[in-house]
Amino acid sequence: MPLRSLQLGSSLLPLAATVVFLSGCQSAPSYKGGLPDLIASDPMQSAPPITRGLDADGLRTLLTAELAGQRGDYRSASQGYLEASQRYSAPALAERATFAARFGDDVALMEASALRWRELAPSAEAPNQLLAAISLQRGDWLDSLEQRLAITQAGGNGELTAFVDIAITEGSAPLNLLAQSMRAHLAQPSAEQLEYHSDALLATALLESALGNTRQAQAHLDDVAKQAPESATLWLAQAQLALEAGDLHTARRAAQQGASIVPDDVRFTLLLAQAEIRLNNIAAAEVQTDALLESHDGNQRLRLALTQLYLEEGYSEPAYRLLQPLTSQDNVPDLAYYLLGAITESQGDTDNALIYYRQVSEGGEFLPARAAAARMLIDDDRVMDARAFLRIERMRYENYFGDLVALEVQLLDELNAPDEALALLDRELARTPDDVNLLYLRAMRSWERGNFPGMEQDLRQLLRIEPNNANALNALGYTLADLNLPGRMEEARELVERAYEEDPSNPAILDSMGWVYFRLDQNEEALAWLESAYNQMPDQEVAAHLAEVLHALGRSDEARTLIQMVLDSTTRHPQVDALLERHPELTPSGAP
């Protein structure tokens, strides 16, 4: 059914058509007895209930849903259509329920309706598109990819490349797992015959490139070049891959090719400028960047981005030239001051760089500027000056007090001075005992040192100040469960459940929920929580927990497969190492 026929409240005609359709599901009654028999007794008294046709309840449900939609009560409309679709198995009803939920911005109801729609119309593309978007919105990358692959395998456009580009940019997506799904898709014999095969190849190439698998990425790009040579995304990926591989001439040619296809795409101009910079053709690069600025009417954000590009490549003079027009303005952007500090620092002028860094006001660049200034002083063998600088900044900027203390603690750790860091925390907390950020920071440091009583004391103090602090609730509950302290497991469960109530989408809390249930010997319950956590945050700690629960459930082969994936994708995996020490039988056959 075309989407335009589903506008709610516009007419009762779509509903009327559905009523006619559903009424046809019932055959007309045939009476063998005469009229006296019908009058003498109720013919419906012993009749079986209507389960398929449109009876009074069904008609009332549909009319109520339609009228609710007309008055703007889209939630009730969606619930009514979904209820009707469960009874009558008409895809049009599930479709209508989905779009009513969409108008009402009810994500849970939209998902339930789209699932029913897909169940009733497996070949329809729209429900999978909606389910993919919902999964992406809640951070379930694997499920979103599964929906998109279903669209692709049915011959539709799953927009895999666009999805993968978002996943890579986001930074939190499980790229290894996404790549495995894409490889499995491409390995299917029918994959090459699909209409959007080049999209799948390109998406896989981007994933392989992001994972550092240059050879595999290039092989896929070569295949895309044969099938879709006019794809701008192809040449964008080709230029980026060549830059990362140091093949600067190929990067320049690919950027030029992409620019010829999409002349207004600034990404190709930036890639071309970057290639020229790395080829030490600064004059040619400046021609590109000047033309880009001219075409965008001197866009301030673009000028700052280009300045960063030159700085990252080690060319401070053209970077400074780009910033000069901004320094004459009445309101110099904070990022400009930050970049001027970086330029001056690169020229060895520490004191003037410090002046620039200190001119960055409160906002997004404030903490990076203070961190850069302090590190610059430390690198100049002026540790005491760095600490004095941070102390003064704490007095000047009360809103950043805790952040600046945490920054100094981090710098002291980097200088291998943990005792001084702890002394700083103790001193500042003595002055501000209710600073929840510092309490949490000291609690975590106590845990790292194996001082659980100290950790618990600080977290309890934090929870007296903020009883619903999800991070503190989760940290304390998880630690109690992890230590498996006798008599305190119910307390651990209660703390983590409270954390979940405050932040139900946090994968770290989902992991804690799973681990608590594992400690309570409720392994099936634990599995569901840990699988959900791993789908959103596939790090080695969650993987270790999930593998241990799988092993406890007798699914040791799956646990070994998961462990092998972790060993292949990370170089440091202490939780997995600890698991293998406890359960050496889980060591994969290919592990060292």
Side-chain angles (χ1 to χ4, degrees):
M1 179 181 293
L3 300 187
R4 60 178 177 271
S5 70
L6 290 169
Q7 295 177 355
L8 294 175
S10 60
S11 169
L12 286 174
L13 184 58
L15 176 63
T18 305
V19 169
V20 171
F21 168 75
L22 293 173
S23 298
C25 292
Q26 284 184 183
S27 58
S30 173
Y31 299 108
K32 294 184 179 180
L35 184 58
D37 294 330
L38 291 174
I39 296 174
S41 63
D42 181 0
M44 300 305 296
Q45 191 170 21
S46 60
I50 298 173
T51 58
R52 296 185 59 214
L54 188 63
D55 62 354
D57 285 341
L59 180 59
R60 182 174 63 251
T61 299
L62 288 172
L63 286 172
T64 300
E66 181 72 11
L67 293 172
Q70 289 191 5
R71 67 173 180 266
D73 184 0
Y74 298 119
R75 177 178 175 80
S76 296
S78 177
Q79 289 173 328
Y81 290 127
L82 180 59
E83 180 184 341
S85 76
Q86 298 289 349
R87 176 169 186 174
Y88 298 118
S89 298
L93 291 173
E95 183 178 4
R96 202 165 175 80
T98 302
F99 283 92
R102 190 174 183 181
F103 276 109
D105 199 25
D106 190 322
V107 177
L109 195 52
M110 192 191 315
E111 184 173 20
S113 301
L115 286 168
R116 178 59 175 164
W117 183 7
R118 185 178 65 180
E119 180 184 351
L120 296 174
S123 61
E125 187 172 318
N128 277 325
Q129 289 175 333
L130 280 171
L131 290 168
I134 292 169
S135 297
L136 181 59
Q137 184 178 9
R138 67 167 177 252
D140 191 342
W141 298 95
L142 292 175
D143 186 68
S144 185
L145 178 58
E146 182 181 342
Q147 310 302 335
R148 295 170 191 277
L149 285 173
I151 294 170
T152 301
Q153 288 160 1
N157 183 4
E159 299 182 343
L160 297 169
T161 299
F163 166 77
V164 166
D165 191 47
I166 294 171
I168 294 170
T169 304
E170 183 74 17
S172 61
L175 299 186
N176 268 308
L177 299 178
L178 297 178
Q180 289 176 16
S181 295
M182 290 305 307
R183 292 172 195 141
H185 167 74
L186 293 179
Q188 295 177 359
S190 60
E192 293 185 11
Q193 309 304 319
L194 296 173
E195 182 177 355
Y196 292 93
H197 182 56
S198 61
D199 180 45
L201 285 169
L202 190 49
T204 310
L206 293 177
L207 284 169
E208 298 290 10
S209 177
L211 293 169
N213 302 327
T214 305
R215 183 178 58 81
Q216 294 93 322
Q218 188 59 60
H220 291 314
L221 290 177
D222 291 343
D223 288 340
V224 177
K226 298 172 186 175
Q227 298 181 23
E230 295 303 307
S231 167
T233 308
L234 161 67
W235 297 109
L236 186 67
Q238 191 76 270
Q240 291 170 334
L241 187 61
L243 269 178
E244 292 170 6
D247 188 351
L248 302 178
H249 293 286
T250 298
R252 181 167 60 184
R253 286 194 299 271
Q256 290 170 336
Q257 179 67 28
S260 70
I261 298 170
V262 190
D264 295 331
D265 193 328
V266 299
R267 294 175 298 177
F268 290 113
T269 307
L270 287 171
L271 283 167
L272 191 55
Q274 197 168 1
E276 297 289 11
I277 291 171
R278 293 189 183 181
L279 286 166
N280 204 27
N281 298 331
I282 302 304
E286 287 190 279
V287 168
Q288 295 291 333
T289 53
D290 288 346
L292 191 57
L293 282 170
E294 184 177 349
S295 67
H296 285 75
D297 196 24
N299 183 285
Q300 187 181 92
R301 292 178 61 186
L302 179 59
R303 184 177 293 277
L304 291 168
L306 292 171
T307 301
Q308 289 176 287
L309 175 63
Y310 280 105
L311 267 180
E312 288 168 1
E313 299 296 337
Y315 292 93
S316 60
E317 290 185 8
Y320 182 73
R321 285 196 291 272
L322 280 167
L323 283 180
Q324 276 185 316
L326 299 181
T327 59
S328 60
Q329 296 179 356
D330 292 334
N331 296 313
V332 179
D334 281 332
L335 183 54
Y337 279 129
Y338 178 80
L339 294 173
L340 284 167
I343 290 169
T344 310
E345 179 185 350
S346 71
Q347 296 169 343
D349 190 349
T350 302
D351 291 329
N352 278 320
L354 184 61
I355 292 173
Y356 282 127
Y357 284 134
R358 293 189 71 172
Q359 289 184 77
V360 176
S361 60
E362 298 183 53
E365 281 75 42
F366 179 88
L367 284 174
R370 271 61 189 178
R375 285 195 170 90
M376 174 185 68
L377 291 169
I378 290 171
D379 291 342
D380 202 29
D381 293 327
R382 297 166 58 181
V383 176
M384 296 306 296
D385 287 346
R387 298 193 66 181
F389 161 69
L390 291 174
R391 186 169 61 254
I392 292 169
E393 294 299 275
R394 289 200 293 273
M395 291 188 289
R396 291 179 65 202
Y397 298 97
E398 184 179 345
N399 291 339
Y400 288 88
F401 175 83
D403 293 318
L404 290 167
V405 172
L407 173 59
E408 188 173 346
V409 167
Q410 179 183 345
L411 293 172
L412 289 169
D413 283 341
E414 292 173 5
L415 291 169
N416 197 25
D419 292 337
E420 291 184 52
L422 183 58
L424 170 65
L425 271 175
D426 290 342
R427 184 168 62 251
E428 297 302 342
L429 273 169
R431 296 173 183 169
T432 57
D434 291 343
D435 191 308
V436 294
N437 292 327
L438 295 185
L439 284 168
Y440 188 82
L441 179 59
R442 190 169 68 177
M444 294 303 100
R445 292 179 69 83
S446 295
W447 176 76
E448 290 169 1
R449 291 181 165 210
N451 178 13
F452 174 68
M455 174 192 184
E456 183 172 16
Q457 181 178 351
D458 279 339
L459 290 179
R460 294 290 184 192
Q461 170 65 9
L462 193 163
L463 289 170
R464 279 191 286 272
I465 301 164
E466 292 185 1
N468 297 323
N469 187 298
N471 288 331
L473 290 166
N474 182 59
L476 184 54
Y478 172 80
T479 305
L480 288 171
D482 197 47
L483 294 175
N484 207 13
L485 296 177
R488 302 194 68 179
M489 288 310 303
E490 282 301 321
E491 180 185 1
R493 182 184 59 77
E494 179 186 344
L495 287 164
V496 176
E497 285 181 349
R498 285 172 56 195
Y500 176 73
E501 289 173 3
E502 295 299 321
D503 192 0
S505 62
N506 188 328
I509 295 175
L510 300 180
D511 174 59
S512 297
M513 289 286 286
W515 199 236
V516 166
Y517 280 111
F518 172 69
R519 292 300 199 196
L520 291 169
D521 294 325
Q522 299 178 34
N523 294 329
E524 290 288 354
E525 185 80 12
L527 181 65
W529 289 103
L530 291 171
E531 286 180 332
S532 180
Y534 187 72
N535 284 337
Q536 297 182 50
M537 186 176 67
D539 68 9
Q540 60 94 28
E541 182 173 2
V542 181
H545 291 161
L546 179 55
E548 187 155 0
V549 170
L550 286 169
H551 180 57
L553 288 168
R555 297 163 61 176
S556 301
D557 287 343
E558 294 176 57
R560 291 187 195 94
T561 300
L562 178 59
I563 290 169
Q564 185 66 66
M565 286 167 46
V566 174
L567 297 178
D568 290 342
S569 60
T570 61
T571 56
R572 188 174 179 276
H573 30 69
Q575 278 80 10
V576 170
D577 294 339
L579 172 62
L580 294 178
E581 287 182 11
R582 295 195 306 274
H583 297 284
E585 68 274 17
L586 289 178
T587 303
S589 57

